[in-house]
Structure formats: structure tokens, C-alpha cells
Amino acid sequence: MGSIGADLSRKIHPEPVDDFDRLPDSLILLIFNIIGDVKALGRCCVVSRRFHSLVPQVDNVVVRVDCVISDDDPSSTSSSSSSAADKSRHPISSLFRIFFSGLFKPLQSLSQLIVPSARRLPLSDDFDCEAEQSIVTHHSPTQVLKNFNEIKLLRIELPTGELGIDEGVLLKWKAEFGSTLDSCVILGASSVVQGSNATAISSDNGVESDNGSIPESFYTNGGLKLRVVWTISSLIAASARHYLLQPIIAEHKTLASLVLTDADGQGVLSMNKEQLEELRVKPLSASSASKRTLVPALNMRLWYAPHLELPNGVVLKGATLVAIRPSEQPKKEVSGSEANWVASAFEEPFGTAARMLVKRRTYCLEMNSF
């Protein structure tokens, strides 16, 4: 009698069906890949056992780094991390102190990411669980990504660029690496002016003749020295990032694209599938003086404009573009379609600035390995 009553009850009040259970795994994985962000994926892990088993199969992952702490000081707090980040925004000397001491920017407060609390969901031994959610821990991107098995596209975003520059100064770089530097493009300007101020500067510079050549004052007022500092600093920042990516590249054999950038848009390091495979096969040469990849001997092409007015009204004063390739690579003229790799390094309006600069007179420089 009781069983008949239970059957009738189930017919009148059927058990609710979870709509997510109707979705195929392939569709859920597609959604997870669109989400990408490692923190959001970590929260998805604790929703259900099914989600927890699917997250490690995501192949498009974005890791946004929260803070700066030194590898040499594991007891560093978030406040000291913020202080270190502030210092790195100031003079160039801070850059060398930061990178030569092996400073990286690990993720903070990841206790509920890919390693959710054991109290909320009993998990298998494949995932390391934190005992208490209230404990603030620091994990490097390498640790956070170790539980992903099939990453193809990886983007890591630092909170700030490494190079401390004065307010109003423009400095951007993009570098490609294999086992060593493949190419690097640097765009800089001593000041960026917009709107009515740009018009005023334009009229002030109208009396100055510009025949496309570098003026003599560029060599005497410290302009060339400053550009050399920009170039070396950008290369050091790029090679330090490259060095720190080794463990991730070695562990994730499925990687087809890796980008390490920063929220400021100051610098971008990218590696494609062939370059990633090259690094796995051919060990990189590390600098004996610091935790960074050795920069090979270089050929550089430099373009300079005392005053560069862009179509959107922005004026770059002291605009400088540097295109860099290793000396061992065949020399190529940066013209026509070959100029695309220079201009495509930057988003607009700076891509336009690069295309305008490569039409000017070219100056060739060389730099020894360092």
C-alpha cells in the first residue's frame, strides 16, 4: 500500500530535472572555453562533480595576475606586494632590481579556484584542496595551471608593465620568442598630446623643418641615449618574461599559442606553436647575470620623427620606432608587406603611427649579445 502511495506521489509531484544535465559535455566545454578566465572556471569547479571533471579539459585559458610578490620572500603580504608594484613604476633602475632578483607576479587568493575547499565538495586526489577557504594563499601561474590537461590557447595578464616611465611618456613593445628572441618591435614617444593641446604643439613645431632625417639635436640633448635605454629595458623585460614561462611550456605539451601581456598594454610576449615546440627541443640560453633569457646579437632599424601627428588628432612628440631581429637571421627590408609585422605589433592608433614612421629615413644599428 505504501509503495502504491509513493508511486502516485512521484506521478503527481515528479522529481525536478536539472536542465544542465541535458546539455552534452561538448556544449558545456564550449561555454567554459568562452569563459576562459581561470577564476571563473575555479568557481565552476565547485558547482558539481560533472563541472569539476570537465574544467581540466578546457583548452582556452586566461590567467589574470592580481599582485606582485617576490619569490625570495614567501611570507610577503599583499600590502608589501602593492608596495613592490608601486616601486616598479618608477625609475629604470627599479626594473633591474626587480628582474635580477627574480621577481614574478603570482596569483593571490586562489584558495577557491581550481583547488576548491574539501568541505564543499569531496574531490579526487587529482586536485590539491585547501583545508580552509579563509586562508589567503599565493600561487604562481604554473601551480594554478597544473590541473589543466589540454590547454591550447593560454593568455597570462600581469597587473602592470615592468618598465617605470614618467607620466605622459609612451613606451610599448611586442616580442616573439622561440628558444631565443625572434623579433621585437618598440614604439616610444617623449610625450603624447591630444585635442586642442595637440593643435597648439603642431603650430609651435611648424617653424621647425622636418626633412625626414634625425636632427642634430637628437644626438646632443640625450635623445639617442634615452632611446637606447628604452630598447635595452624592453628587451630585458621581454627576455625575463620568456625565462619565467619555461615551466608552463614544458608541462603543457598541447599549447599552440601563448601570450604574456599586462593590463597597461605596455608589453606583449607571444609564442606560436612552432616557437613553443622549438623551445621544448632546443634549450634556451640563460643569462648568467639574471633570471632571463640571453638576448642574441641584434640588427636594429630605427625611425624617428620630432613631431608625428596621427589622423585622430593625437600628436607624438619625439616618436621613435625600433624593429629588432637577431643578427643571424637574413636581413630584410622593412617595406611593403614586410612592414606589416612592424605595424601589426600595435593596436590603433599606434599601428598607424608605426606605418607612418617606416616611411621615413631608416637608421641601422647593431647590438651585441647581453
Side-chain angles (χ1 to χ4, degrees), residues 136-167:
V136 176
T137 57
H138 300 275
H139 297 266
S140 71
T142 305
Q143 292 173 303
V144 172
L145 294 170
K146 69 179 181 180
N147 297 308
F148 289 91
N149 305 320
E150 301 180 23
I151 302 178
K152 294 180 181 178
L153 309 177
L154 174 61
R155 179 183 177 90
I156 302 175
E157 186 176 293
L158 307 178
T160 59
E162 301 90 336
L163 307 182
I165 55 176
D166 295 331
E167 186 176 354

Short mmCIF file of all heavy atoms in Angstrom, two decimals, residues 136-167:
data_model
loop_
_atom_site.label_atom_id
_atom_site.label_comp_id
_atom_site.label_asym_id
_atom_site.label_seq_id
_atom_site.Cartn_x
_atom_site.Cartn_y
_atom_site.Cartn_z
N VAL A 136 44.45 32.92 2.99
CA VAL A 136 44.89 33.55 1.75
C VAL A 136 46.21 32.93 1.34
O VAL A 136 47.16 32.92 2.11
CB VAL A 136 45.06 35.07 1.93
CG1 VAL A 136 45.61 35.68 0.65
CG2 VAL A 136 43.72 35.71 2.28
N THR A 137 46.26 32.37 0.15
CA THR A 137 47.48 31.73 -0.32
C THR A 137 47.95 32.39 -1.60
O THR A 137 47.22 33.10 -2.26
CB THR A 137 47.24 30.24 -0.59
OG1 THR A 137 46.19 30.12 -1.53
CG2 THR A 137 46.86 29.51 0.69
N HIS A 138 49.21 32.15 -1.94
CA HIS A 138 49.80 32.71 -3.14
C HIS A 138 50.24 31.56 -4.04
O HIS A 138 50.97 30.67 -3.61
CB HIS A 138 51.01 33.58 -2.79
CG HIS A 138 50.67 34.73 -1.91
ND1 HIS A 138 50.21 35.93 -2.38
CD2 HIS A 138 50.73 34.87 -0.56
CE1 HIS A 138 50.00 36.76 -1.37
NE2 HIS A 138 50.30 36.13 -0.26
N HIS A 139 49.76 31.56 -5.27
CA HIS A 139 50.11 30.52 -6.22
C HIS A 139 50.65 31.16 -7.49
O HIS A 139 50.11 32.15 -7.97
CB HIS A 139 48.89 29.66 -6.59
CG HIS A 139 48.30 28.91 -5.43
ND1 HIS A 139 48.64 27.62 -5.13
CD2 HIS A 139 47.39 29.29 -4.50
CE1 HIS A 139 47.96 27.23 -4.07
NE2 HIS A 139 47.20 28.23 -3.67
N SER A 140 51.70 30.59 -8.04
CA SER A 140 52.20 31.07 -9.32
C SER A 140 51.29 30.53 -10.41
O SER A 140 50.58 29.55 -10.21
CB SER A 140 53.63 30.58 -9.54
OG SER A 140 53.62 29.19 -9.80
N PRO A 141 51.30 31.17 -11.60
CA PRO A 141 50.51 30.63 -12.71
C PRO A 141 50.84 29.17 -13.03
O PRO A 141 49.96 28.42 -13.44
CB PRO A 141 50.89 31.56 -13.87
CG PRO A 141 51.18 32.86 -13.20
CD PRO A 141 51.88 32.48 -11.92
N THR A 142 52.09 28.78 -12.82
CA THR A 142 52.47 27.39 -13.07
C THR A 142 51.67 26.45 -12.18
O THR A 142 51.18 25.40 -12.63
CB THR A 142 53.97 27.19 -12.81
OG1 THR A 142 54.71 28.12 -13.60
CG2 THR A 142 54.41 25.78 -13.15
N GLN A 143 51.52 26.81 -10.89
CA GLN A 143 50.76 25.97 -9.96
C GLN A 143 49.28 25.94 -10.32
O GLN A 143 48.64 24.90 -10.26
CB GLN A 143 50.94 26.50 -8.54
CG GLN A 143 52.34 26.33 -7.98
CD GLN A 143 52.49 27.02 -6.65
OE1 GLN A 143 52.26 28.22 -6.53
NE2 GLN A 143 52.86 26.27 -5.63
N VAL A 144 48.74 27.09 -10.68
CA VAL A 144 47.31 27.17 -11.00
C VAL A 144 46.97 26.35 -12.23
O VAL A 144 45.93 25.70 -12.31
CB VAL A 144 46.90 28.64 -11.21
CG1 VAL A 144 45.48 28.74 -11.73
CG2 VAL A 144 47.04 29.43 -9.92
N LEU A 145 47.89 26.34 -13.20
CA LEU A 145 47.60 25.68 -14.48
C LEU A 145 47.90 24.19 -14.48
O LEU A 145 47.58 23.50 -15.44
CB LEU A 145 48.42 26.35 -15.59
CG LEU A 145 48.05 27.81 -15.89
CD1 LEU A 145 49.10 28.43 -16.82
CD2 LEU A 145 46.67 27.90 -16.52
N LYS A 146 48.49 23.68 -13.40
CA LYS A 146 48.93 22.28 -13.43
C LYS A 146 47.77 21.30 -13.55
O LYS A 146 47.95 20.15 -13.97
CB LYS A 146 49.75 21.97 -12.17
CG LYS A 146 48.93 21.95 -10.89
CD LYS A 146 49.81 21.62 -9.70
CE LYS A 146 48.99 21.58 -8.40
NZ LYS A 146 49.85 21.25 -7.25
N ASN A 147 46.56 21.73 -13.20
CA ASN A 147 45.41 20.84 -13.25
C ASN A 147 44.67 20.86 -14.59
O ASN A 147 43.70 20.12 -14.76
CB ASN A 147 44.43 21.19 -12.13
CG ASN A 147 45.05 20.98 -10.76
OD1 ASN A 147 45.58 19.92 -10.47
ND2 ASN A 147 45.02 22.01 -9.93
N PHE A 148 45.13 21.70 -15.50
CA PHE A 148 44.54 21.71 -16.85
C PHE A 148 45.34 20.76 -17.73
O PHE A 148 46.57 20.83 -17.78
CB PHE A 148 44.57 23.11 -17.44
CG PHE A 148 43.59 24.06 -16.80
CD1 PHE A 148 43.96 24.84 -15.73
CD2 PHE A 148 42.30 24.16 -17.28
CE1 PHE A 148 43.07 25.72 -15.12
CE2 PHE A 148 41.39 25.03 -16.70
CZ PHE A 148 41.77 25.81 -15.62
N ASN A 149 44.64 19.90 -18.45
CA ASN A 149 45.31 18.84 -19.20
C ASN A 149 45.44 19.11 -20.69
O ASN A 149 46.26 18.48 -21.36
CB ASN A 149 44.55 17.52 -19.01
CG ASN A 149 44.39 17.17 -17.54
OD1 ASN A 149 45.30 17.36 -16.74
ND2 ASN A 149 43.22 16.64 -17.19
N GLU A 150 44.63 20.03 -21.24
CA GLU A 150 44.56 20.16 -22.69
C GLU A 150 44.58 21.61 -23.15
O GLU A 150 43.89 21.98 -24.10
CB GLU A 150 43.29 19.47 -23.21
CG GLU A 150 43.21 17.99 -22.86
CD GLU A 150 41.95 17.33 -23.39
OE1 GLU A 150 41.38 17.86 -24.35
OE2 GLU A 150 41.55 16.29 -22.83
N ILE A 151 45.38 22.45 -22.50
CA ILE A 151 45.43 23.86 -22.87
C ILE A 151 46.05 24.02 -24.25
O ILE A 151 47.15 23.52 -24.51
CB ILE A 151 46.23 24.69 -21.85
CG1 ILE A 151 45.64 24.56 -20.46
CG2 ILE A 151 46.27 26.16 -22.27
CD1 ILE A 151 46.40 25.32 -19.39
N LYS A 152 45.35 24.73 -25.14
CA LYS A 152 45.88 25.07 -26.46
C LYS A 152 46.19 26.56 -26.57
O LYS A 152 47.22 26.94 -27.11
CB LYS A 152 44.89 24.66 -27.55
CG LYS A 152 44.67 23.16 -27.66
CD LYS A 152 43.67 22.82 -28.77
CE LYS A 152 43.44 21.33 -28.85
NZ LYS A 152 42.44 20.99 -29.90
N LEU A 153 45.29 27.38 -26.05
CA LEU A 153 45.46 28.83 -26.09
C LEU A 153 45.57 29.35 -24.67
O LEU A 153 44.65 29.18 -23.86
CB LEU A 153 44.27 29.49 -26.80
CG LEU A 153 43.90 28.94 -28.18
CD1 LEU A 153 42.65 29.65 -28.71
CD2 LEU A 153 45.06 29.09 -29.15
N LEU A 154 46.68 29.99 -24.35
CA LEU A 154 46.91 30.49 -23.00
C LEU A 154 47.29 31.95 -23.04
O LEU A 154 48.18 32.35 -23.79
CB LEU A 154 48.03 29.69 -22.30
CG LEU A 154 48.46 30.19 -20.92
CD1 LEU A 154 47.30 30.16 -19.93
CD2 LEU A 154 49.64 29.37 -20.40
N ARG A 155 46.60 32.74 -22.24
CA ARG A 155 46.90 34.17 -22.11
C ARG A 155 47.10 34.48 -20.63
O ARG A 155 46.22 34.19 -19.81
CB ARG A 155 45.76 35.02 -22.68
CG ARG A 155 45.99 36.54 -22.55
CD ARG A 155 44.78 37.30 -23.08
NE ARG A 155 44.92 38.74 -22.91
CZ ARG A 155 45.47 39.55 -23.81
NH1 ARG A 155 45.92 39.03 -24.95
NH2 ARG A 155 45.56 40.84 -23.59
N ILE A 156 48.24 35.05 -20.31
CA ILE A 156 48.54 35.48 -18.94
C ILE A 156 48.65 36.99 -18.93
O ILE A 156 49.38 37.56 -19.75
CB ILE A 156 49.84 34.84 -18.42
CG1 ILE A 156 49.73 33.31 -18.47
CG2 ILE A 156 50.13 35.30 -17.00
CD1 ILE A 156 51.02 32.60 -18.09
N GLU A 157 47.93 37.62 -18.02
CA GLU A 157 47.91 39.09 -17.97
C GLU A 157 48.43 39.57 -16.63
O GLU A 157 47.86 39.28 -15.58
CB GLU A 157 46.48 39.60 -18.20
CG GLU A 157 46.38 41.11 -18.30
CD GLU A 157 44.98 41.58 -18.63
OE1 GLU A 157 44.51 41.29 -19.76
OE2 GLU A 157 44.34 42.20 -17.75
N LEU A 158 49.53 40.32 -16.66
CA LEU A 158 50.10 40.91 -15.45
C LEU A 158 49.34 42.19 -15.09
O LEU A 158 48.73 42.82 -15.95
CB LEU A 158 51.58 41.23 -15.68
CG LEU A 158 52.45 40.08 -16.18
CD1 LEU A 158 53.88 40.57 -16.40
CD2 LEU A 158 52.43 38.93 -15.21
N PRO A 159 49.37 42.61 -13.83
CA PRO A 159 48.61 43.80 -13.43
C PRO A 159 49.18 45.09 -13.99
O PRO A 159 48.44 46.04 -14.26
CB PRO A 159 48.68 43.78 -11.90
CG PRO A 159 49.90 42.97 -11.59
CD PRO A 159 50.01 41.95 -12.68
N THR A 160 50.49 45.16 -14.18
CA THR A 160 51.13 46.37 -14.71
C THR A 160 52.33 45.98 -15.55
O THR A 160 52.87 44.88 -15.43
CB THR A 160 51.62 47.31 -13.58
OG1 THR A 160 52.56 46.59 -12.75
CG2 THR A 160 50.47 47.80 -12.72
N GLY A 161 52.78 46.91 -16.39
CA GLY A 161 54.02 46.71 -17.13
C GLY A 161 55.21 46.84 -16.19
O GLY A 161 55.14 47.48 -15.15
N GLU A 162 56.33 46.23 -16.58
CA GLU A 162 57.50 46.25 -15.71
C GLU A 162 58.28 47.56 -15.75
O GLU A 162 58.99 47.89 -14.81
CB GLU A 162 58.47 45.11 -16.11
CG GLU A 162 57.87 43.72 -16.02
CD GLU A 162 57.22 43.28 -17.31
OE1 GLU A 162 56.83 44.15 -18.12
OE2 GLU A 162 57.12 42.08 -17.53
N LEU A 163 58.16 48.29 -16.85
CA LEU A 163 59.01 49.46 -17.05
C LEU A 163 58.39 50.70 -16.43
O LEU A 163 57.30 51.12 -16.79
CB LEU A 163 59.25 49.69 -18.54
CG LEU A 163 59.77 48.48 -19.33
CD1 LEU A 163 60.02 48.87 -20.77
CD2 LEU A 163 61.04 47.94 -18.69
N GLY A 164 59.08 51.28 -15.47
CA GLY A 164 58.62 52.52 -14.85
C GLY A 164 58.97 53.70 -15.75
O GLY A 164 60.14 53.97 -16.01
N ILE A 165 57.98 54.39 -16.25
CA ILE A 165 58.21 55.54 -17.13
C ILE A 165 57.48 56.75 -16.58
O ILE A 165 56.51 56.63 -15.82
CB ILE A 165 57.74 55.25 -18.57
CG1 ILE A 165 56.27 54.82 -18.58
CG2 ILE A 165 58.61 54.17 -19.22
CD1 ILE A 165 55.71 54.62 -19.97
N ASP A 166 57.95 57.92 -16.96
CA ASP A 166 57.33 59.15 -16.48
C ASP A 166 55.94 59.32 -17.09
O ASP A 166 55.64 58.81 -18.17
CB ASP A 166 58.19 60.36 -16.84
CG ASP A 166 59.54 60.33 -16.12
OD1 ASP A 166 59.59 59.76 -15.01
OD2 ASP A 166 60.53 60.86 -16.67
N GLU A 167 55.11 60.06 -16.39
CA GLU A 167 53.75 60.31 -16.87
C GLU A 167 53.79 61.06 -18.20
O GLU A 167 54.56 62.00 -18.37
CB GLU A 167 52.98 61.13 -15.83
CG GLU A 167 51.51 61.31 -16.17
CD GLU A 167 50.75 62.03 -15.08
OE1 GLU A 167 51.35 62.29 -14.02
OE2 GLU A 167 49.57 62.35 -15.30
#
